[in-house]
Amino acid sequence: MQAKKRYILVFVSCAFLAYCYFGGYRLKVAPHRPRRAQHESAKDGGVQPYAQLPSFMGYEQRQPLTNESTVAVATAAAPGKRKPPVAACRMETCFDFTKCYDQFLVYVYPPEPLNSLGAAPPSSPNYQKILTAIQESRYHTSDPAAACLFVLGIDTLDRDSLSEDYVRNVPSRLARLPHWNNGRNHIIFNLYSGTWPDYAEHSLGFDAGEAILAKASMSVLQMRHGFDVSIPLFHKQFPLRAGATGSVQSNNFPANKKYLLAFKGKR
């Protein structure tokens, strides 16, 4: 009886060792046996074994490269041969500094000629204040060849198609500008974009190209950091110049308040 128990114990031990040896060996060499993997994939209808495993990559990571991403990669690999995507514009990629080294000058496009009815192109009082402030500053130049920055004579502040200050046919107007160059070294001012009911932030009604956007209430998702400029929203009755002397006793900047409140309203 004792001998039978010893034989059974030896048999079970040998079977266990054989299972551990051959099972561990198979797991160890499986990644290095492509022929067997191909054989198993042929039996499964041509599906590779790793294709049946769950993926931990996100959906966006598994998508093929789009045209925009391809252009971005090509631009990084061969700078100067392709223009970067507009969404990736930075001062280093979409701005020409060669005219800004000696002095910083700003050119304002002259008003468009009168139309067939003898009416002047529409322009809001707020935009006229911006142009007047630039033209009366020491940075203004009437020579476009010496300018570092270009400001449109086209009013782009209110891009709500239901507004009375909305300027139509902006794309064709931009195409007629002699120094447009896809917006490079241009700055576009905007306070309102889109129209009722959603007021989409990116809905300007025209392609700004490589121009800098000086825009009010710009979200961090739409703003091109290091390129665009966030400006405050000012009312139509905002004065061009200050009146009486202010009563501020000290210049406490930056403000030491923790919370700052702003409100953007239209109607």
Side-chain angles (χ1 to χ4, degrees), residues 139-160:
Y139 302 102
H140 177 257
T141 179
S142 57
D143 182 12
C148 168
L149 195 64
F150 294 81
V151 178
L152 303 180
I154 307 169
D155 186 357
T156 57
L157 287 184
D158 196 342
R159 297 308 299 161
D160 181 2

PDB file of all heavy atoms in Angstrom, residues 139-160:
ATOM      1  N   TYR A 139       3.514 105.687 -34.290  1.00  0.00           N
ATOM      2  CA  TYR A 139       3.831 104.438 -34.983  1.00  0.00           C
ATOM      3  C   TYR A 139       3.249 104.375 -36.394  1.00  0.00           C
ATOM      4  O   TYR A 139       3.547 103.449 -37.137  1.00  0.00           O
ATOM      5  CB  TYR A 139       3.310 103.236 -34.180  1.00  0.00           C
ATOM      6  CG  TYR A 139       3.858 103.158 -32.784  1.00  0.00           C
ATOM      7  CD1 TYR A 139       3.098 103.559 -31.694  1.00  0.00           C
ATOM      8  CD2 TYR A 139       5.156 102.699 -32.553  1.00  0.00           C
ATOM      9  CE1 TYR A 139       3.610 103.507 -30.409  1.00  0.00           C
ATOM     10  CE2 TYR A 139       5.683 102.637 -31.270  1.00  0.00           C
ATOM     11  CZ  TYR A 139       4.891 103.045 -30.202  1.00  0.00           C
ATOM     12  OH  TYR A 139       5.404 102.991 -28.935  1.00  0.00           O
ATOM     13  N   HIS A 140       2.423 105.330 -36.743  1.00  0.00           N
ATOM     14  CA  HIS A 140       1.736 105.272 -38.036  1.00  0.00           C
ATOM     15  C   HIS A 140       2.669 105.678 -39.172  1.00  0.00           C
ATOM     16  O   HIS A 140       3.525 106.552 -39.027  1.00  0.00           O
ATOM     17  CB  HIS A 140       0.503 106.196 -38.018  1.00  0.00           C
ATOM     18  CG  HIS A 140      -0.202 106.239 -39.322  1.00  0.00           C
ATOM     19  ND1 HIS A 140      -0.082 107.305 -40.209  1.00  0.00           N
ATOM     20  CD2 HIS A 140      -1.027 105.350 -39.921  1.00  0.00           C
ATOM     21  CE1 HIS A 140      -0.821 107.064 -41.270  1.00  0.00           C
ATOM     22  NE2 HIS A 140      -1.402 105.882 -41.121  1.00  0.00           N
ATOM     23  N   THR A 141       2.502 105.015 -40.296  1.00  0.00           N
ATOM     24  CA  THR A 141       3.221 105.353 -41.514  1.00  0.00           C
ATOM     25  C   THR A 141       2.267 105.271 -42.692  1.00  0.00           C
ATOM     26  O   THR A 141       1.352 104.445 -42.719  1.00  0.00           O
ATOM     27  CB  THR A 141       4.417 104.408 -41.734  1.00  0.00           C
ATOM     28  OG1 THR A 141       5.077 104.765 -42.950  1.00  0.00           O
ATOM     29  CG2 THR A 141       3.973 102.964 -41.842  1.00  0.00           C
ATOM     30  N   SER A 142       2.492 106.123 -43.648  1.00  0.00           N
ATOM     31  CA  SER A 142       1.696 106.095 -44.880  1.00  0.00           C
ATOM     32  C   SER A 142       2.403 105.323 -45.988  1.00  0.00           C
ATOM     33  O   SER A 142       1.891 105.243 -47.111  1.00  0.00           O
ATOM     34  CB  SER A 142       1.416 107.528 -45.342  1.00  0.00           C
ATOM     35  OG  SER A 142       2.636 108.239 -45.527  1.00  0.00           O
ATOM     36  N   ASP A 143       3.556 104.757 -45.679  1.00  0.00           N
ATOM     37  CA  ASP A 143       4.326 103.986 -46.652  1.00  0.00           C
ATOM     38  C   ASP A 143       4.189 102.499 -46.336  1.00  0.00           C
ATOM     39  O   ASP A 143       4.756 102.023 -45.346  1.00  0.00           O
ATOM     40  CB  ASP A 143       5.790 104.403 -46.615  1.00  0.00           C
ATOM     41  CG  ASP A 143       6.627 103.668 -47.652  1.00  0.00           C
ATOM     42  OD1 ASP A 143       6.039 103.022 -48.542  1.00  0.00           O
ATOM     43  OD2 ASP A 143       7.877 103.733 -47.556  1.00  0.00           O
ATOM     44  N   PRO A 144       3.452 101.734 -47.134  1.00  0.00           N
ATOM     45  CA  PRO A 144       3.300 100.301 -46.837  1.00  0.00           C
ATOM     46  C   PRO A 144       4.607  99.528 -46.936  1.00  0.00           C
ATOM     47  O   PRO A 144       4.761  98.480 -46.303  1.00  0.00           O
ATOM     48  CB  PRO A 144       2.288  99.831 -47.884  1.00  0.00           C
ATOM     49  CG  PRO A 144       2.371 100.824 -48.984  1.00  0.00           C
ATOM     50  CD  PRO A 144       2.708 102.133 -48.337  1.00  0.00           C
ATOM     51  N   ALA A 145       5.568 100.013 -47.724  1.00  0.00           N
ATOM     52  CA  ALA A 145       6.847  99.307 -47.858  1.00  0.00           C
ATOM     53  C   ALA A 145       7.662  99.369 -46.571  1.00  0.00           C
ATOM     54  O   ALA A 145       8.522  98.506 -46.348  1.00  0.00           O
ATOM     55  CB  ALA A 145       7.647  99.883 -49.017  1.00  0.00           C
ATOM     56  N   ALA A 146       7.405 100.370 -45.724  1.00  0.00           N
ATOM     57  CA  ALA A 146       8.155 100.504 -44.474  1.00  0.00           C
ATOM     58  C   ALA A 146       7.396  99.951 -43.278  1.00  0.00           C
ATOM     59  O   ALA A 146       7.921  99.977 -42.161  1.00  0.00           O
ATOM     60  CB  ALA A 146       8.481 101.983 -44.228  1.00  0.00           C
ATOM     61  N   ALA A 147       6.191  99.459 -43.490  1.00  0.00           N
ATOM     62  CA  ALA A 147       5.341  99.028 -42.378  1.00  0.00           C
ATOM     63  C   ALA A 147       5.700  97.634 -41.903  1.00  0.00           C
ATOM     64  O   ALA A 147       6.066  96.763 -42.695  1.00  0.00           O
ATOM     65  CB  ALA A 147       3.869  99.079 -42.792  1.00  0.00           C
ATOM     66  N   CYS A 148       5.581  97.446 -40.611  1.00  0.00           N
ATOM     67  CA  CYS A 148       5.746  96.124 -40.003  1.00  0.00           C
ATOM     68  C   CYS A 148       4.388  95.458 -39.816  1.00  0.00           C
ATOM     69  O   CYS A 148       4.276  94.241 -39.934  1.00  0.00           O
ATOM     70  CB  CYS A 148       6.456  96.256 -38.657  1.00  0.00           C
ATOM     71  SG  CYS A 148       6.432  94.768 -37.636  1.00  0.00           S
ATOM     72  N   LEU A 149       3.372  96.249 -39.531  1.00  0.00           N
ATOM     73  CA  LEU A 149       2.035  95.739 -39.259  1.00  0.00           C
ATOM     74  C   LEU A 149       1.020  96.478 -40.122  1.00  0.00           C
ATOM     75  O   LEU A 149       1.161  97.686 -40.361  1.00  0.00           O
ATOM     76  CB  LEU A 149       1.696  95.915 -37.775  1.00  0.00           C
ATOM     77  CG  LEU A 149       0.513  95.145 -37.219  1.00  0.00           C
ATOM     78  CD1 LEU A 149       0.755  93.640 -37.292  1.00  0.00           C
ATOM     79  CD2 LEU A 149       0.234  95.549 -35.774  1.00  0.00           C
ATOM     80  N   PHE A 150      -0.006  95.742 -40.584  1.00  0.00           N
ATOM     81  CA  PHE A 150      -1.034  96.313 -41.449  1.00  0.00           C
ATOM     82  C   PHE A 150      -2.388  96.195 -40.757  1.00  0.00           C
ATOM     83  O   PHE A 150      -2.720  95.146 -40.205  1.00  0.00           O
ATOM     84  CB  PHE A 150      -1.078  95.587 -42.798  1.00  0.00           C
ATOM     85  CG  PHE A 150       0.158  95.764 -43.628  1.00  0.00           C
ATOM     86  CD1 PHE A 150       1.299  94.999 -43.394  1.00  0.00           C
ATOM     87  CD2 PHE A 150       0.195  96.707 -44.655  1.00  0.00           C
ATOM     88  CE1 PHE A 150       2.443  95.160 -44.154  1.00  0.00           C
ATOM     89  CE2 PHE A 150       1.340  96.870 -45.423  1.00  0.00           C
ATOM     90  CZ  PHE A 150       2.464  96.098 -45.179  1.00  0.00           C
ATOM     91  N   VAL A 151      -3.164  97.275 -40.809  1.00  0.00           N
ATOM     92  CA  VAL A 151      -4.497  97.325 -40.220  1.00  0.00           C
ATOM     93  C   VAL A 151      -5.505  97.547 -41.345  1.00  0.00           C
ATOM     94  O   VAL A 151      -5.323  98.432 -42.188  1.00  0.00           O
ATOM     95  CB  VAL A 151      -4.613  98.434 -39.163  1.00  0.00           C
ATOM     96  CG1 VAL A 151      -6.032  98.505 -38.604  1.00  0.00           C
ATOM     97  CG2 VAL A 151      -3.622  98.189 -38.037  1.00  0.00           C
ATOM     98  N   LEU A 152      -6.563  96.750 -41.346  1.00  0.00           N
ATOM     99  CA  LEU A 152      -7.560  96.840 -42.404  1.00  0.00           C
ATOM    100  C   LEU A 152      -8.350  98.143 -42.304  1.00  0.00           C
ATOM    101  O   LEU A 152      -8.623  98.643 -41.215  1.00  0.00           O
ATOM    102  CB  LEU A 152      -8.528  95.656 -42.321  1.00  0.00           C
ATOM    103  CG  LEU A 152      -7.941  94.249 -42.375  1.00  0.00           C
ATOM    104  CD1 LEU A 152      -9.048  93.211 -42.283  1.00  0.00           C
ATOM    105  CD2 LEU A 152      -7.138  94.049 -43.651  1.00  0.00           C
ATOM    106  N   GLY A 153      -8.740  98.635 -43.464  1.00  0.00           N
ATOM    107  CA  GLY A 153      -9.705  99.726 -43.497  1.00  0.00           C
ATOM    108  C   GLY A 153     -11.128  99.210 -43.496  1.00  0.00           C
ATOM    109  O   GLY A 153     -12.080  99.994 -43.481  1.00  0.00           O
ATOM    110  N   ILE A 154     -11.284  97.892 -43.498  1.00  0.00           N
ATOM    111  CA  ILE A 154     -12.595  97.243 -43.494  1.00  0.00           C
ATOM    112  C   ILE A 154     -13.011  96.994 -42.055  1.00  0.00           C
ATOM    113  O   ILE A 154     -12.237  96.436 -41.257  1.00  0.00           O
ATOM    114  CB  ILE A 154     -12.543  95.911 -44.275  1.00  0.00           C
ATOM    115  CG1 ILE A 154     -11.975  96.137 -45.672  1.00  0.00           C
ATOM    116  CG2 ILE A 154     -13.915  95.274 -44.338  1.00  0.00           C
ATOM    117  CD1 ILE A 154     -11.651  94.844 -46.401  1.00  0.00           C
ATOM    118  N   ASP A 155     -14.208  97.403 -41.707  1.00  0.00           N
ATOM    119  CA  ASP A 155     -14.707  97.242 -40.346  1.00  0.00           C
ATOM    120  C   ASP A 155     -15.066  95.778 -40.103  1.00  0.00           C
ATOM    121  O   ASP A 155     -15.980  95.228 -40.714  1.00  0.00           O
ATOM    122  CB  ASP A 155     -15.936  98.136 -40.136  1.00  0.00           C
ATOM    123  CG  ASP A 155     -16.406  98.127 -38.687  1.00  0.00           C
ATOM    124  OD1 ASP A 155     -15.824  97.402 -37.877  1.00  0.00           O
ATOM    125  OD2 ASP A 155     -17.369  98.858 -38.386  1.00  0.00           O
ATOM    126  N   THR A 156     -14.337  95.142 -39.198  1.00  0.00           N
ATOM    127  CA  THR A 156     -14.585  93.734 -38.857  1.00  0.00           C
ATOM    128  C   THR A 156     -14.971  93.565 -37.392  1.00  0.00           C
ATOM    129  O   THR A 156     -14.934  92.447 -36.874  1.00  0.00           O
ATOM    130  CB  THR A 156     -13.329  92.894 -39.146  1.00  0.00           C
ATOM    131  OG1 THR A 156     -12.219  93.437 -38.412  1.00  0.00           O
ATOM    132  CG2 THR A 156     -13.005  92.887 -40.625  1.00  0.00           C
ATOM    133  N   LEU A 157     -15.352  94.637 -36.706  1.00  0.00           N
ATOM    134  CA  LEU A 157     -15.654  94.541 -35.276  1.00  0.00           C
ATOM    135  C   LEU A 157     -16.887  93.698 -35.012  1.00  0.00           C
ATOM    136  O   LEU A 157     -16.889  92.847 -34.128  1.00  0.00           O
ATOM    137  CB  LEU A 157     -15.849  95.945 -34.683  1.00  0.00           C
ATOM    138  CG  LEU A 157     -14.586  96.788 -34.500  1.00  0.00           C
ATOM    139  CD1 LEU A 157     -14.943  98.102 -33.809  1.00  0.00           C
ATOM    140  CD2 LEU A 157     -13.531  96.045 -33.717  1.00  0.00           C
ATOM    141  N   ASP A 158     -17.953  93.917 -35.767  1.00  0.00           N
ATOM    142  CA  ASP A 158     -19.220  93.221 -35.522  1.00  0.00           C
ATOM    143  C   ASP A 158     -19.501  92.302 -36.700  1.00  0.00           C
ATOM    144  O   ASP A 158     -19.880  92.751 -37.778  1.00  0.00           O
ATOM    145  CB  ASP A 158     -20.351  94.231 -35.350  1.00  0.00           C
ATOM    146  CG  ASP A 158     -21.585  93.610 -34.707  1.00  0.00           C
ATOM    147  OD1 ASP A 158     -21.684  92.370 -34.717  1.00  0.00           O
ATOM    148  OD2 ASP A 158     -22.440  94.359 -34.202  1.00  0.00           O
ATOM    149  N   ARG A 159     -19.325  90.984 -36.477  1.00  0.00           N
ATOM    150  CA  ARG A 159     -19.548  90.014 -37.538  1.00  0.00           C
ATOM    151  C   ARG A 159     -20.860  89.264 -37.340  1.00  0.00           C
ATOM    152  O   ARG A 159     -21.005  88.115 -37.767  1.00  0.00           O
ATOM    153  CB  ARG A 159     -18.391  89.016 -37.594  1.00  0.00           C
ATOM    154  CG  ARG A 159     -17.057  89.647 -37.920  1.00  0.00           C
ATOM    155  CD  ARG A 159     -17.101  90.500 -39.149  1.00  0.00           C
ATOM    156  NE  ARG A 159     -17.471  89.706 -40.328  1.00  0.00           N
ATOM    157  CZ  ARG A 159     -17.937  90.223 -41.454  1.00  0.00           C
ATOM    158  NH1 ARG A 159     -18.130  91.526 -41.566  1.00  0.00           N
ATOM    159  NH2 ARG A 159     -18.227  89.435 -42.467  1.00  0.00           N
ATOM    160  N   ASP A 160     -21.815  89.926 -36.721  1.00  0.00           N
ATOM    161  CA  ASP A 160     -23.172  89.403 -36.606  1.00  0.00           C
ATOM    162  C   ASP A 160     -23.951  89.855 -37.827  1.00  0.00           C
ATOM    163  O   ASP A 160     -24.141  91.058 -38.049  1.00  0.00           O
ATOM    164  CB  ASP A 160     -23.818  89.915 -35.318  1.00  0.00           C
ATOM    165  CG  ASP A 160     -25.231  89.382 -35.120  1.00  0.00           C
ATOM    166  OD1 ASP A 160     -25.692  88.581 -35.967  1.00  0.00           O
ATOM    167  OD2 ASP A 160     -25.869  89.751 -34.128  1.00  0.00           O
TER     168      ASP A 160
END
